[in-house]
Amino acid sequence: MTADAGLSVEDVLVEGRKRSNAAAILSKLDVERGTPILSFSPEQAKADLEELPWVKRAIVERRLPDVIYVKLEEREPLALWQEEGVLHVIDQSGEVIASAKASKFSKLPLIVGPDAPDHAREVLALIQSEPELGNRVKAAVRVSGRRWNIRLNNGVDVQLPEEDANDAWSFFARIERDEGVLERDVIVVDLRLRDRLIVRTSGGAEKNKTKKVKGKKT
């Protein structure tokens, strides 16, 4: 009766779609042109749409007389997470985006470690707090669920402390700007000790520099 009265679906308007598959959206809506619009359930459509891998939230409305309106909020990729040699794309909350192919997101930062996604936002903020140094980062590796090693693109490992990691990273950035530590034969920069920076070279030598950074040896 509603179709006879002109209350039938003539158009579906979707806003906010960037990466979600259009055919999958229409399949979840399960509506065709000519369907009585009052028989369409926005609540069910919302629940079904939010099952799609890229959809974080969905708003679905009947706009009488003949339009189904959908507004999507999609999940934003944050980083690549390496788990047992396999790369996954994670979103801003650290959840894996199941359908995302890592090969299409190769420019995202890389994190490694079983619990790395739970702490991804904090370590990425730390890295980005020093842009010049951050541009040289290849990966952030979570160690024993407590702290991070930052692998630079020249192979150097920067070992951050469990506490006050931001201060340690900023200190190292200042030292690098002033002294060009990374231009030397360095393989490890150890910032885990409370009062000093230790540089290890490929020949096994160590050099110490006092620093004003609090932290624990781990």
Side-chain angles (χ1 to χ4, degrees):
M1 182 175 294
T2 56
D4 293 339
L7 297 179
S8 59
V9 176
E10 291 297 325
D11 198 10
V12 176
L13 175 61
V14 179
E15 293 183 352
R17 185 185 76 86
K18 297 178 183 177
R19 298 184 176 92
S20 295
N21 182 276
I25 291 172
L26 292 176
S27 177
K28 290 294 187 181
L29 290 173
D30 192 24
V31 65
E32 298 178 351
R33 181 171 292 178
T35 299
I37 196 167
L38 296 182
S39 69
F40 173 79
S41 170
E43 294 79 12
Q44 184 61 53
K46 169 183 168 65
D48 291 343
L49 285 170
E50 290 177 351
E51 293 177 351
L52 294 174
W54 281 104
V55 176
K56 182 178 181 180
R57 275 186 286 271
I59 296 172
V60 184
E61 300 173 351
R62 288 185 299 228
R63 292 189 171 178
L64 300 179
D66 57 9
V67 174
I68 301 298
Y69 171 77
V70 177
K71 184 174 182 179
L72 301 178
E73 180 184 350
E74 293 189 334
R75 299 162 70 183
E76 288 295 327
L78 175 67
L80 292 177
W81 171 41
Q82 182 176 306
E83 180 191 28
E84 297 182 353
V86 179
L87 291 177
H88 307 278
V89 180
I90 64 169
D91 67 9
Q92 299 288 325
S93 63
E95 297 294 323
V96 172
I97 303 174
S99 67
K101 295 182 179 180
S103 59
K104 293 185 177 181
F105 296 91
S106 59
K107 293 184 179 181
L108 288 177
L110 175 64
I111 60 172
V112 183
D115 69 335
D118 295 334
H119 305 275
R121 292 184 68 175
E122 64 189 47
V123 75
L124 295 179
L126 175 149
I127 290 169
Q128 294 161 8
S129 69
E130 296 290 345
E132 188 173 346
L133 189 56
N135 288 336
R136 305 180 71 166
V137 171
K138 181 178 181 180
V141 182
R142 187 77 171 160
V143 180
S144 302
R146 295 183 299 163
R147 63 173 195 84
W148 294 93
N149 284 352
I150 307 299
R151 172 66 60 87
L152 304 182
N153 54 21
N154 63 352
V156 173
D157 279 328
V158 180
Q159 299 176 334
L160 295 178
E162 182 177 351
E163 298 179 1
D164 298 309
N166 284 277
D167 289 342
W169 182 247
S170 294
F171 171 78
F172 177 55
R174 291 196 301 272
I175 293 297
E176 172 57 22
R177 285 193 294 269
D178 294 343
E179 302 186 17
V181 173
L182 296 176
E183 304 306 317
R184 306 173 191 177
D185 185 23
V186 174
I187 58 173
V188 174
V189 176
D190 189 345
L191 296 162
R192 293 175 296 167
L193 290 177
R194 179 181 305 176
D195 60 350
R196 68 190 61 195
L197 173 151
I198 300 173
V199 174
R200 296 189 179 94
T201 66
S202 60
E206 291 188 357
K207 294 183 179 180
N208 299 301
K209 188 172 185 65
T210 302
K211 61 188 179 75
K212 296 179 180 179
V213 179
K214 296 180 180 179
K216 289 184 178 180
K217 183 177 180 180
T218 59

